[in-house]
Amino acid sequence: MIITKINLKNFLCYYDENEFILTKGTNLIIGHNGSGKTKLFEALDWFFQYEFTGSSLLSLVTEKRKKDAKNEPDSKFTVAVTVEFQEPSS
């Protein structure tokens, strides 16, 4: 399984829609302190391992975004991962 794309919408420090396209091989993620590198990996960790409970899901949304969402009834908080499955090479 190869992750080819990660979409985050309003997940922790990622406001609005954010798309990360990954290529085959090694992908390097760089940025200044506080730019969201760790939050990207936390999103993947949550996606693959998290237990879905309503109260704990809200902990993944910043307080500022929660306040903004009250004025936007259609506001969504999502993590989506696109994967490609490959046959094992022999």
Side-chain angles (χ1 to χ4, degrees):
M1 177 176 76
I2 296 172
I3 297 173
T4 57
K5 184 169 45 173
I6 303 166
N7 291 86
L8 303 177
K9 183 174 181 182
N10 300 319
F11 181 89
L12 294 173
C13 67
Y14 289 100
Y15 291 100
D16 298 320
E17 304 241 1
N18 298 270
E19 182 177 82
F20 300 89
I21 304 291
L22 305 174
T23 60
K24 291 182 181 177
T26 302
N27 289 268
L28 182 63
I29 299 170
I30 57 173
H32 295 287
N33 286 344
S35 63
K37 300 178 301 291
T38 300
K39 299 303 178 199
L40 175 62
F41 288 102
E42 287 178 4
L44 287 173
D45 182 54
W46 174 82
F47 182 83
F48 286 109
Q49 298 183 40
Y50 206 72
E51 291 185 29
F52 296 95
T53 61
S55 60
S56 57
L57 287 176
L58 282 178
S59 69
L60 301 173
V61 180
T62 63
E63 290 301 318
K64 179 183 182 309
R65 190 64 188 120
K66 287 177 194 174
K67 289 177 187 174
D68 292 346
K70 289 180 183 177
N71 299 324
E72 302 170 24
D74 293 332
S75 186
K76 295 180 182 178
F77 311 95
T78 61
V79 175
V81 176
T82 303
V83 297
E84 178 182 305
F85 291 96
Q86 293 184 333
E87 293 293 323
S89 56
S90 37

